[in-house]
Structures are given as structure tokens and as C-alpha cells.
Amino acid sequence: MAKINLVTREKKRPEWCNNENLSGIAIMFFLLFLFLYSEEVSLFKAHEKKKISEISKAGNEQLSNLAASLQGKQKALGLRSEGLKEKISDEKDTLIADLEEYNEIVVSEEATEESAIAATDLKEEIETLEVLIEEDKESLDVVTTDLEKVTVDSAKFCDECEFNYSGLGTLCGLRKNYLMTVYSNTEEAAKAAVAQWDPNCMK
């Protein structure tokens, strides 16, 4: 068997393929990768920011609608409460006047048939007024309870506490002020809405 002499020739690399050039190319590819990665991250952050902004806007509108609803209830219940208080006051004034008149008739020595009829009529009116006053007091208690449900005690509202609801994170006082400034909600309604969404806003 004959020996084959293999002659190995040294392959010469192309000039661009030397170690210095390869390092430069690697650095360029790495910088390109970093650039593309940072662009991707920027696009992702922009998308997330837009998404959070949309959630925040929708949340603000919902919170403002809640505040407006509470504001309407507060106003209606407040008017109803004032009306009942005024009615009870008028009924009490009438009751006192009727009682005085009734006592004058009963104490009077000149009892006539007309005065007896007047006394009987007054007594019926007094009894009716007493029933009306009790009914109106019960109605006022219900209205007061309903009003307490849609309002918050200002002394217990915590402006410095953390507000966090559905991606909206801030301070309770700032959220309240935002509703008042941007959506023109009353302070009472804004406090009630903020506290209803995050009970953490109450001390």
C-alpha cells in the first residue's frame, strides 16, 4: 500500500476576517441589538402608558359619574330633610296654638254648646297633628339615614391616605380635588365617591 502524502496548505483568511475586524463587527451587532431592543422596550412602554391612560380616563369618568349621582342624591335628600323639618316645626307651632286654645275653652267657666263643639274639634285636630308629627319624624329619620349613606364625615376623610382603585393610584385628597376641579363635583360628593371606591380614604 502506498503512502499518500497529504500536504496541508495554510488557508489564508480574508482580510476583513482578522481578529480586530471581527471584534468591531461583534460590537456593531451588539449595538444594533441594543438599539432594536431599546426601541421595542420604548414601544412597549408607550403602549402600556397609553393603556394606563385610557384606564385612568375611564376610571376618572366613572368616578365622576358616581360623584355626580351622589351629589344629586345629597341635594334631593337635603331638600327633603329641610322640607320635613320645616313641616314638623309648623305642625308643632299649630299644635301648641291648638293646645292653648283648647285649654282656654276647657278651663273657661262659660261652657256653651258651641265651646264644647270647638273643644271636641280642637281635640281631634290635636290628635291628628300628633300623629302627623310622629309620621314626619319617622320620615325624617329615614331621610337622615339615607343622607348619611351618601355623605361622609369630613373629619374622618383622610386627604393624605393612599387612593388605589383599578389602576388609579394617588392620594385621596388629590383624587377628591381632581373631581372638584375637572368635573365640577361638590366637595361632599367628591369625598363620598372617593371613599366609596376606596374605603382606605376614611380614618
Side-chain angles (χ1 to χ4, degrees):
M1 194 180 286
K3 271 187 168 182
I4 300 176
N5 189 7
L6 295 174
V7 178
T8 55
R9 279 193 289 167
E10 193 177 306
K11 289 186 179 178
K12 199 174 184 185
R13 287 192 214 171
E15 203 170 294
W16 62 269
C17 202
N18 65 32
N19 285 342
E20 284 179 19
N21 285 342
L22 285 177
S23 296
I25 291 171
I27 290 172
M28 284 192 327
F29 274 114
F30 180 72
L31 291 174
L32 180 62
F33 170 77
L34 283 178
F35 173 76
L36 292 174
Y37 178 76
S38 67
E39 283 298 307
E40 187 68 28
V41 168
S42 295
L43 288 172
F44 178 76
K45 284 182 179 177
H47 175 72
E48 285 299 305
K49 191 173 183 180
K50 182 179 177 188
K51 188 175 167 184
I52 288 170
S53 175
E54 288 170 358
I55 290 170
S56 179
K57 183 178 179 184
N60 284 332
E61 289 174 2
Q62 288 174 347
L63 189 57
S64 173
N65 290 340
L66 174 61
S69 169
L70 292 171
Q71 186 173 327
K73 288 178 184 177
Q74 288 170 348
K75 184 175 181 179
L77 290 168
L79 289 172
R80 178 81 175 125
S81 174
E82 291 305 311
L84 283 168
K85 287 177 185 176
E86 192 175 313
K87 185 178 180 206
I88 291 169
S89 177
D90 290 345
E91 289 168 347
K92 283 182 177 178
D93 290 342
T94 305
L95 179 62
I96 290 168
D98 285 353
L99 283 170
E100 288 173 356
E101 189 178 342
Y102 177 77
N103 286 335
E104 285 177 15
I105 293 171
V106 171
V107 175
S108 173
E109 292 180 12
E110 300 175 14
T112 62
E113 192 175 319
E114 287 178 8
S115 64
I117 292 171
T120 304
D121 290 346
L122 278 172
K123 188 173 182 181
E124 288 175 8
E125 188 175 331
I126 289 167
E127 289 169 357
T128 302
L129 279 169
E130 288 172 341
V131 170
L132 281 174
I133 289 171
E134 283 308 309
E135 288 174 355
D136 289 341
K137 281 183 179 179
E138 288 173 9
S139 295
L140 182 58
D141 288 343
V142 170
V143 169
T144 302
T145 301
D146 289 346
L147 191 53
E148 287 171 357
K149 289 178 186 174
V150 295
T151 56
V152 295
D153 184 354
S154 291
K156 292 182 180 177
F157 187 82
C158 178
D159 284 296
E160 300 81 28
C161 293
E162 295 274 333
F163 173 87
N164 194 344
Y165 183 83
S166 202
L168 294 173
T170 184
L171 296 177
C172 299
L174 293 176
R175 182 60 43 207
K176 172 200 72 170
N177 292 341
Y178 182 82
L179 290 174
M180 293 168 61
T181 305
V182 175
Y183 295 99
S184 302
N185 297 119
T186 64
E187 184 173 8
E188 295 79 18
K191 283 181 180 179
V194 168
Q196 201 170 93
W197 266 27
D198 190 350
N200 190 45
C201 291
M202 298 300 290
K203 294 178 189 174

